[in-house]
Amino acid sequence: MGIEEDDMGQRGSVLLLGGAGQAGSDTATLLRRRYPELPLTIAGRNPERTRKVAGELGGATAVTVDLTRGDLGLPAGREYAAVVATLWDSRLNGLRFAQDHGVPYVSLSSGMIDIAPEVTAAAQRPAAAPVLMASHWAAGVITLTALAWAGEFDRVDTIRIGAILDENDAGGPAGLADLERWAKVTSAGYARRDGVFAWSGAADSRVELRSLDGTTVTGQAVPILDVTSLALATGAPDVEFVFAVGESAGTRRGDGPSVEVRIELEGAGPAGAPLSVDRYLVHPHGQRPLTSLGLAMGIERLLGLRGEAVPPGFYTPETLLEPAHVIERLADEGTLFVEA
């Protein structure tokens, strides 16, 4: 049984699995800042670090967690408002726990190549709980940004996204483990070409990405849920997401790791004339603020903190969040939008 570190008697708390890690602690910080009275439970395997994160948040509970157990090793008798897996829920015990208790569940780290068990579990019990699959890049905020700009079009033909992640901004131990797991499974690329979702060899998937400062880095079209979400939401027959890890423009300037995501759209405007958009989404502090914002927005939507509470079902970020609102929140968190 997990040992409860801070007995505050809270009920209906948001349970953050991996809440002491980078994504979990950043998400908890955003939620606390926006909703000071929202009960939060920081669940981790390291009691000392978990207590520290909960203490810094204030009004949060710290618990140890065991993801190998169906009850997650949590203290008995506590109610939770949602279960958020900010690390890989490899046995799906977090999802099962949420379904058994009828509360929303959010996943971040399944990746496109790992989603089959999650999709099956959600499909087998569709009325049990709302399930948000947010294993998109930065928990979906890049897809939502592209969809906001796609609203300028009458028809979208092509979407190209190129993300440059600083080599020192790949995340904590859980994030690095995700990247290593995915790399072991496949080095193949994945994209939609002429309306067909298809895999391609690693050599054929390499693409040169250009940073805002003119530096180029080699990336690769990757299997990621943004491709399917964008293609099916817009009807664009050609969609690719290229990902590269290297030295970021922020590091080259001596300002620390930044992140740049170039979003290109081509198609036709309302009058039928050719239209294109080519913009960068840049955050001077790297990918962490983007990912935590995506998770926080998903959580608040599921709980009805913005809009109505979400009924049981299976969701992706673009089915719950409003693109224009995501753009506003990104700007509030220091994101810059720059014409290419």
Side-chain angles (χ1 to χ4, degrees):
M1 176 66 66
I3 301 172
E4 189 168 5
E5 304 292 351
D6 181 13
D7 185 10
M8 298 180 64
Q10 294 176 338
R11 300 173 69 83
S13 181
V14 175
L15 176 66
L16 291 149
L17 304 178
Q22 289 187 7
S25 60
D26 287 358
T27 302
T29 299
L30 276 179
L31 289 171
R32 171 59 70 241
R33 190 172 75 216
R34 196 166 181 86
Y35 306 101
E37 304 303 319
L38 179 67
L40 300 172
T41 297
I42 306 302
R45 290 172 292 187
N46 184 320
E48 182 178 354
R49 178 165 175 76
T50 303
R51 282 196 301 267
K52 180 175 183 295
V53 171
E56 290 172 348
L57 285 168
T61 300
V63 297
T64 55
V65 68
D66 184 352
L67 295 178
T68 69
R69 295 177 48 159
D71 64 358
L72 304 180
L74 293 170
R78 183 172 295 280
E79 294 182 5
Y80 297 99
V83 178
V84 184
T86 68
L87 39 63
W88 188 34
D89 187 9
S90 59
R91 292 175 172 83
L92 292 187
N93 283 329
L95 173 55
R96 293 293 195 185
F97 184 89
Q99 290 177 319
D100 290 344
H101 292 80
V103 299
Y105 173 83
V106 185
S107 68
L108 174 69
S109 300
S110 296
M112 197 179 82
I113 57 178
D114 289 325
I115 64 171
E118 187 176 330
V119 171
T120 302
Q124 287 178 350
R125 301 174 65 184
V131 175
L132 172 59
M133 184 173 64
S135 292
H136 301 58
W137 212 79
V141 297
I142 303 303
T143 283
L144 270 296
T145 298
L147 289 177
W149 295 342
E152 303 172 27
F153 290 72
D154 184 61
R155 186 191 73 245
V156 180
D157 297 327
T158 302
I159 302 175
R160 290 186 295 268
I161 297 179
I164 301 176
L165 181 69
D166 193 280
E167 56 198 1
N168 295 313
D169 185 34
L176 291 172
D178 288 339
L179 293 176
E180 291 173 2
R181 186 175 77 253
W182 298 332
K184 287 179 181 178
V185 173
T186 183
S187 60
Y190 187 83
R192 193 183 203 191
R193 307 289 188 203
D194 195 24
V196 178
F197 293 103
W199 296 88
S200 59
D204 296 328
S205 301
R206 294 194 181 100
V207 179
E208 291 299 310
L209 299 180
R210 182 178 294 274
S211 174
L212 264 173
D213 65 6
T215 303
T216 59
V217 60
T218 301
Q220 178 171 327
V222 291
I224 193 166
L225 289 169
D226 301 75
V227 171
T228 51
S229 284
L230 286 169
L232 296 173
T234 65
D238 291 284
V239 181
E240 72 175 7
F241 192 111
V242 177
F243 175 64
V245 178
E247 187 178 63
S248 68
T251 295
R252 286 191 292 274
R253 292 192 304 269
D255 297 332
S258 61
V259 67
E260 293 181 13
V261 183
R262 186 173 183 173
I263 301 176
E264 301 174 73
L265 300 98
E266 297 174 357
L275 179 65
S276 64
V277 166
D278 191 353
R279 299 178 183 134
Y280 283 91
L281 180 155
V282 180
H283 202 292
H285 301 306
Q287 56 84 22
R288 287 179 60 177
L290 305 180
T291 302
S292 57
L293 177 63
L295 277 176
M297 293 187 71
I299 294 165
E300 69 179 12
R301 181 68 184 86
L302 287 166
L303 294 178
L305 298 172
R306 176 179 171 80
E308 296 294 326
V310 176
F314 193 55
Y315 302 92
T316 50
E318 75 277 6
T319 66
L320 293 182
L321 303 180
E322 303 164 5
H325 180 60
V326 171
I327 293 284
E328 292 174 4
R329 293 282 294 274
L330 282 167
D332 289 344
E333 296 299 325
T335 307
L336 306 175
F337 305 102
V338 184
E339 295 291 337

